[in-house]
Amino acid sequence: MLFNSPKAAKRIGVQFLSVASAECFGRDVSPTHFASLLKECMSVNTVRQIHQKIIAYGLLSYPASLLSVSLPPLPSHSYVSPKSLGTGVVASYLACGATSDALSVLERVTPSPAVWWNLFVREHIKEGRLDRAIGVSCRMLRAGTKPDHFTLPYALKACGELPSYRCGSAFHGLICCNGFESNVFVCNALVAMYSRCGSLEDASLVFDEITRKGIDDVISWNSIVAAHVKGSNPRTALDLFSEMTTIVHGKATNERSDIISIVNILPACASLKALPQTKEIHGYAIQNGTFPDAFVCNALIDTYAKCGSMKDALKVFNAMEFKDVVSWNAMVTGYTQSGNFGAAFELFKNMHKENIPLDVITWSAVIAGYAQRGCGQEALDAFQQMILYGSEPNSVTIISVLSACASLGALSQGMETHAYSLKKCLLSLDNDFGGDGDGEDLMVHNALIDMYSKCRSFKAARSIFDSIPRRERNVVTWTVMIGGYAQYGDSNDALKLFSEMISNPYAVAPNAYTISCILMACAHLAALRTGKQIHAYVARHHEYEASVYFVANCLIDMYSKCGDVDTARNVFDSMPRRNEVSWTSMMSGYGMHGRGKEALDIFDKMQKAGFVPDDISFLVLLYACSHSGMVDQGLDYFDIMRRDYGVVASAEHYACVIDLLARSGRLDKAWKTIQEMPMEPSAVIWVALLSACRVHSNVELAEYALNKLVSMKAENDGSYTLISNIYATARRWKDVARIRQLMKKSGIKKRPGCSWVQGKKGTASFFVGDRSHPLSPEIYSLLERLIGRIKVMGYVPETNFALHDVDDEEKNNLLTEHSEKLALAYGLLTTSPGCPIRITKNLRVCGDCHSAFTYISKIVDHEIIVRDSSRFHHFKNGSCSCGGYW
């Protein structure tokens, strides 16, 4: 024949239409001749020309069984043999890589065998083209070919991996219509599909139907157990596994099925930290002979590590005959996450000795462990070693490195990591996040927002946040941006963003971390009204009950810092369980409000509840004593802390004691305490002493404290303001001017005093001498009347707080314009009678304003609550809660 000659074959492939068609097809048009031509085809063009001739002679569906020569099988699928000339053409197209042509032919072949359609579907799934796999399945149905028990599992697998619940449920209907509802192979695929689509209820219904019919096998049980593990129902998964070991025990199983069963259920134990159940499953694996298997051992190591039992993980590791890189990585990850870095690095050395390559998982585990433990610099060092080693980082590595940069505030390293991610294509530029809200690309974006926020580069953080389409943002995206504003930026922006988060379209439900961040923002702003709204939101949504400690502790802190410590106590009393933070938060709340006795009462109840006070507990207790004038009690607790509880006093503890002594006028003893400190006095010590010198007008000691702060390069506008106040009180105006000049030379600017107050129509802010508010005429008029009335009662303006070398009349006018007085007047104009007026000031409250408010509280029907940079002042009936200790 012509095609037996290499020369002829070459000519047919290149010049078929121009020369060969007449020669080849003019003499012999038999089906056998076409079959021989197909076997010799080497190019798509040749196949197309033969295909045209076969169609022209109506031989497309000619049975292969009637041919005297065999049609060519697929090289990669020799078990699939063409049953007609048409499928022979399909095979030839596929051999030449022309998939679209092959599909077009297959649609026109009668009958169109399901095995060929299955081949197309499976290949698309293998190459990750899941939507095309589903499309081919639909074309198969339109071509009139009935699916078989292979087609449907393939199609369901594509639906599950997309995932597409709508397509999956449509195929479910097809299964019922074609009588496959009793085929366990198909039904198992249905369970897996519904699980992957997140419909645990449908998966359970299908499984129940399988078991009711008695056609279930070990794969059915593995599928439903895996579904419950994936669906965050680990307890149900464990119950099903227990039932499975009894029911399936008598059914035919193989070793692979048993291995999958064990590997499936161990993540449920890990999520519950269920060590006893893990040991039971370990025993089950030994009993059925699957324990030496590497997959089972690796899963056991990982589970034991996550249950906090590295001792058991090490036993499994040492018992393994063959350890692969996964085994080593599981141990390294376990040690780093438990904080045992020494053991982790020892494993590193052993991996080198055993010639086990350090892959990206090994490095990522170490870097993540450092980052999670707050060892940011060590994490960055490990990342540098990883790059030098030649290992390519992945998204998980980058996220851990960004976390380390965030903890260190290392903006330049964070920017370098950002650039590296773009260079290595670990971060997309087209804002395509896959639509599932959980992709690695979105996780890297979230980590970048967190890093830039914690490095106080909010422009960059917000730019990345805004670049993420709203529909793609998940709860982490919103939380890191809100948390960044609340902790390091403008809390007002945090409140605005939270409002956007829960608004349609694409509203996202906040989690416990989001709630804690927004409560922190409310606390910073003293936004009690918004804080109450968040509290109501939490009460309506019961999903926060699992985070009762976390959310309730934040509520206690918010109410305390918003001036409503009684409501904070109500939240505390309503908690079903309390941890150390709960008790400490309540003590701190009482302390900042000057209610030292209540703080001591909470401290006693904390010990009766079985909690042992730590250094933080005593620090809060000393703070409460200091702000309540409880000098002797505070000194007693300082001694008890060291003597009875073995708590070593830190610089912060000494600062509280010095503050306690100095506020009460015992400056000599405070100075002696500083001299007897076992460590070098830190900046916080000198600030405490300087603050006390203002109260008691000790110029000499104040100058010494300021000089110490300057030598430590720890001075700020607050320190200079304190010394200016002290000089002004002593009428040393030249020194006041000198301090101002020194501040100017050092580039230190005094923060302008700002006070804000919540009224009926929102929050109003005021600066010194502010006349920008629409109600300014009424505000100044009311202030003038109030000052006149309290002067009659005995109020004398403390002109030394004017800090200007002008006459007394001018000083009186300057004092009247202080921001807290303007805020009070606005509050009196806009607040209903009997309601508290809550004022917040960014600096320490002025002494003259404190005196004026004490008198004003006698003549107004309001409690005046002022929060300054140090504490709360509750003015009522002519007295203040601070008792003069402020």
Side-chain angles (χ1 to χ4, degrees):
M1 289 179 66
L2 181 63
F3 285 95
N4 289 336
S5 165
K7 212 172 188 181
K10 185 177 180 183
R11 184 165 56 82
I12 291 294
V14 178
Q15 297 181 329
F16 192 90
L17 282 177
S18 59
V19 179
S21 80
E23 293 181 4
C24 292
F25 294 109
R27 294 192 302 273
D28 189 356
V29 294
S30 68
T32 300
H33 177 63
F34 285 121
S36 299
L37 290 174
L38 288 172
K39 289 182 73 173
E40 300 292 332
C41 285
M42 303 296 291
S43 72
V44 176
N45 286 336
T46 306
V47 180
R48 284 175 180 157
Q49 293 169 53
I50 298 172
H51 179 196
Q52 290 172 3
K53 291 296 180 180
I54 291 173
I55 293 174
Y57 288 102
L59 298 173
L60 197 63
S61 298
Y62 193 89
S65 59
L66 301 180
L67 299 172
S68 58
V69 297
S70 61
L71 287 167
L74 280 176
S76 57
H77 301 84
S78 57
Y79 61 89
V80 181
S81 299
K83 301 300 181 185
S84 65
L85 268 179
T87 50
V89 173
V90 173
S92 297
Y93 273 130
L94 288 174
C96 295
T99 308
S100 298
D101 294 282
L103 264 175
S104 298
V105 176
L106 189 60
E107 286 179 311
R108 290 165 176 79
V109 173
T110 306
S112 179
V115 64
W116 287 88
W117 289 101
N118 295 345
L119 182 66
F120 282 105
V121 174
R122 192 175 70 175
E123 284 302 307
H124 280 309
I125 292 172
K126 186 178 178 182
E127 294 172 10
R129 297 194 291 263
L130 303 173
D131 51 346
R132 292 190 184 182
I134 295 172
V136 169
S137 302
C138 294
R139 288 175 71 174
M140 171 186 178
L141 297 172
R142 286 196 295 269
T145 303
K146 286 190 174 183
D148 61 13
H149 63 287
F150 290 109
T151 314
L152 293 165
Y154 288 147
L156 290 170
K157 183 178 181 182
C159 294
E161 290 185 4
L162 261 175
S164 174
Y165 176 84
R166 183 175 60 84
C167 291
S169 56
F171 277 107
H172 190 173
L174 190 67
I175 288 167
C176 296
C177 292
N178 286 272
F180 287 103
E181 62 266 36
S182 294
N183 185 303
V184 67
F185 187 43
V186 173
C187 290
N188 289 344
L190 258 180
V191 173
M193 181 276 294
Y194 279 126
S195 168
R196 287 171 178 156
C197 290
S199 181
L200 187 56
E201 183 181 358
D202 288 316
S204 298
L205 287 172
V206 174
F207 175 76
D208 292 342
E209 186 70 14
I210 294 172
T211 53
R212 188 182 62 79
K213 292 178 180 177
I215 60 172
D216 57 296
D217 60 9
V218 68
I219 297 173
S220 313
W221 287 89
N222 284 342
S223 298
I224 194 64
V225 168
H228 280 285
V229 172
K230 185 176 184 290
S232 301
N233 289 321
R235 294 191 187 280
T236 306
L238 284 170
D239 292 340
L240 283 167
F241 180 79
S242 178
E243 189 178 351
M244 166 189 171
T245 55
T246 305
I247 294 175
V248 185
H249 183 70
K251 301 194 176 188
T253 63
N254 55 50
E255 185 180 351
R256 177 169 173 78
S257 297
D258 287 333
I259 289 170
I260 293 171
S261 303
I262 292 167
V263 172
N264 260 351
I265 193 60
L266 284 171
C269 298
S271 66
L272 292 170
K273 300 190 183 302
L275 185 59
Q277 288 88 336
T278 304
K279 289 185 175 181
E280 287 179 20
I281 292 166
H282 188 175
Y284 176 79
I286 295 171
Q287 184 182 354
N288 66 15
T290 57
F291 173 64
D293 182 82
F295 288 106
V296 173
C297 290
N298 291 340
L300 278 167
I301 291 170
D302 180 66
T303 306
Y304 276 129
K306 288 176 179 174
C307 290
S309 180
M310 287 306 299
K311 182 175 69 174
D312 290 308
L314 185 60
K315 285 180 181 178
V316 174
F317 182 76
N318 290 334
M320 293 178 70
E321 294 179 11
F322 171 74
K323 302 178 182 73
D324 58 15
V325 68
V326 178
S327 317
W328 290 90
N329 286 344
M331 287 299 295
V332 171
T333 302
Y335 277 129
T336 53
Q337 289 181 346
S338 65
N340 192 344
F341 298 113
F345 279 111
E346 188 64 31
L347 277 179
F348 262 124
K349 294 176 184 177
N350 291 338
M351 288 178 79
H352 281 294
K353 290 177 184 177
E354 300 283 341
N355 292 320
I356 304 293
L358 301 176
D359 63 8
V360 63
I361 297 174
T362 319
W363 286 107
S364 296
V366 173
I367 293 169
Y370 276 132
Q372 289 166 11
R373 291 284 166 177
C375 305
Q377 190 57 54
E378 289 83 352
L380 294 181
D381 292 342
F383 180 64
Q384 189 176 21
Q385 291 175 35
M386 175 185 182
I387 300 299
L388 293 173
Y389 186 81
S391 184
E392 287 284 333
N394 59 16
S395 296
V396 176
T397 322
I398 295 299
I399 290 166
S400 298
V401 172
L402 289 171
S403 176
C405 294
S407 67
L408 293 171
L411 180 60
S412 58
Q413 289 92 331
M415 294 173 73
E416 289 173 10
T417 307
H418 187 179
Y420 183 89
S421 304
L422 292 169
K423 180 181 177 182
K424 295 295 182 180
C425 300
L426 296 171
L427 192 66
S428 70
L429 288 171
D430 57 3
N431 298 329
D432 180 14
F433 299 93
D436 60 358
D438 294 308
E440 288 185 350
D441 197 55
L442 181 59
M443 291 168 65
V444 175
H445 276 79
N446 292 343
L448 280 168
I449 295 169
D450 183 59
M451 182 275 295
Y452 280 119
S453 296
K454 288 177 178 175
C455 292
R456 292 173 171 78
S457 181
F458 288 100
K459 188 176 180 180
R462 189 58 188 259
S463 176
I464 295 170
F465 177 83
D466 290 337
S467 74
I468 303 172
R470 180 155 183 165
R471 66 180 178 277
E472 302 288 355
R473 297 172 192 164
N474 62 11
V475 67
V476 179
T477 313
W478 289 97
T479 301
V480 291
M481 193 70 250
I482 290 170
Y485 280 134
Q487 289 179 276
Y488 307 102
D490 189 342
S491 294
N492 287 297
D493 289 331
L495 296 184
K496 290 175 188 174
L497 210 58
F498 181 77
S499 180
E500 288 180 32
M501 176 183 181
I502 60 176
S503 301
N504 287 321
Y506 308 115
V508 176
N511 60 20
Y513 293 100
T514 324
I515 295 296
S516 72
C517 289
I518 203 63
L519 287 173
M520 187 187 303
C522 294
H524 286 169
L525 296 169
L528 181 60
R529 186 178 300 142
T530 306
K532 285 182 175 179
Q533 291 170 355
I534 303 298
H535 190 179
Y537 181 93
V538 170
R540 290 196 305 270
H541 295 78
H542 298 291
E543 63 264 28
Y544 300 108
E545 290 177 0
S547 308
V548 61
Y549 289 139
F550 200 56
V551 175
N553 292 343
C554 290
L555 281 168
I556 293 168
D557 181 68
M558 182 275 295
Y559 278 118
S560 297
K561 289 179 178 175
C562 288
D564 194 353
V565 72
D566 292 325
T567 303
R569 181 59 186 266
N570 290 338
V571 174
F572 177 82
D573 289 339
S574 66
M575 291 177 70
R577 298 178 303 279
R578 304 182 186 98
N579 60 8
E580 293 88 344
V581 179
S582 313
W583 294 96
T584 306
S585 298
M586 196 65 248
M587 278 196 295
S588 177
Y590 278 131
M592 69 178 70
H593 286 268
R595 293 166 64 168
K597 291 181 180 178
E598 287 94 330
L600 297 186
D601 181 58
I602 291 290
F603 182 75
D604 291 338
K605 288 180 178 177
M606 170 184 170
Q607 294 179 86
K608 289 176 182 176
F611 291 93
V612 178
D614 58 9
D615 58 330
I616 303 296
S617 305
F618 278 107
L619 184 64
V620 171
L621 192 65
L622 291 170
Y623 169 85
C625 292
S626 174
H627 282 75
S628 305
M630 303 170 69
V631 182
D632 294 331
Q633 295 94 321
L635 294 174
D636 288 343
Y637 278 114
F638 184 66
D639 292 334
I640 290 169
M641 173 185 83
R642 296 178 294 180
R643 185 182 67 243
D644 297 347
Y645 293 89
V647 176
V648 178
S650 65
E652 286 75 18
H653 292 97
Y654 276 101
C656 282
V657 171
I658 291 160
D659 188 58
L660 180 73
L661 292 167
R663 283 177 189 272
S664 63
R666 304 183 192 179
L667 290 175
D668 292 339
K669 189 168 183 181
W671 176 243
K672 186 179 179 183
T673 304
I674 292 174
Q675 292 175 317
E676 293 175 351
M677 282 175 60
M679 75 280 291
E680 192 69 26
S682 61
V684 69
I685 302 292
W686 299 116
V687 169
L689 185 63
L690 182 60
S691 179
C693 290
R694 180 196 64 82
V695 178
H696 300 285
S697 303
N698 191 319
V699 178
E700 185 180 351
L701 200 54
E703 288 178 330
Y704 185 86
L706 181 66
N707 289 334
K708 284 291 185 181
L709 288 170
V710 171
S711 66
M712 297 169 72
K713 295 183 179 180
E715 78 278 18
N716 55 32
D717 66 319
S719 306
Y720 285 118
T721 301
L722 282 171
I723 195 73
S724 290
N725 286 338
I726 294 168
Y727 283 139
T729 302
R731 306 187 72 81
R732 291 170 55 170
W733 301 112
K734 288 184 180 180
D735 287 318
V736 172
R738 179 176 58 81
I739 292 296
R740 285 178 182 163
Q741 189 62 33
L742 182 61
M743 290 175 68
K744 186 176 181 180
K745 187 177 179 181
S746 304
I748 298 173
K749 293 184 178 180
K750 182 182 180 298
R751 286 171 293 168
C754 178
S755 300
W756 57 96
V757 60
Q758 286 193 353
K760 289 181 180 178
K761 298 181 180 179
T763 302
S765 301
F766 299 92
F767 291 91
V768 177
D770 198 336
R771 294 180 183 271
S772 62
H773 197 278
L775 292 178
S776 285
E778 291 90 337
I779 289 171
Y780 279 93
S781 176
L782 177 59
L783 269 180
E784 186 179 352
R785 294 196 304 272
L786 287 172
I787 297 298
R789 289 182 63 184
I790 62 176
K791 280 183 177 178
V792 175
M793 298 167 61
Y795 162 70
V796 178
E798 298 183 33
T799 54
N800 55 296
F801 285 97
L803 299 186
H804 292 279
D805 188 13
V806 294
D807 59 43
D808 287 346
E809 184 177 352
E810 181 64 21
K811 287 182 179 180
N812 287 340
N813 293 333
L814 290 171
L815 291 172
T816 304
E817 296 179 350
H818 278 193
S819 64
E820 52 265 60
K821 287 192 179 80
L822 299 177
L824 174 59
Y826 175 81
L828 290 170
L829 288 170
T830 58
T831 306
S832 301
C835 295
I837 297 173
R838 303 178 189 276
I839 300 169
T840 306
K841 187 178 180 182
N842 64 332
L843 306 175
R844 185 186 291 266
V845 68
C846 157
D848 177 72
C849 292
H850 189 279
S851 175
F853 282 17
T854 305
Y855 279 98
I856 291 172
S857 67
K858 290 183 179 182
I859 59 175
V860 296
D861 188 21
H862 300 275
E863 179 183 5
I864 304 168
I865 303 171
V866 179
R867 184 183 110 179
D868 68 7
S869 60
S870 176
R871 58 165 301 145
F872 275 90
H873 302 266
H874 293 253
F875 299 94
K876 192 173 184 180
N877 299 326
S879 64
C880 179
S881 59
C882 71
Y885 290 92
W886 62 282

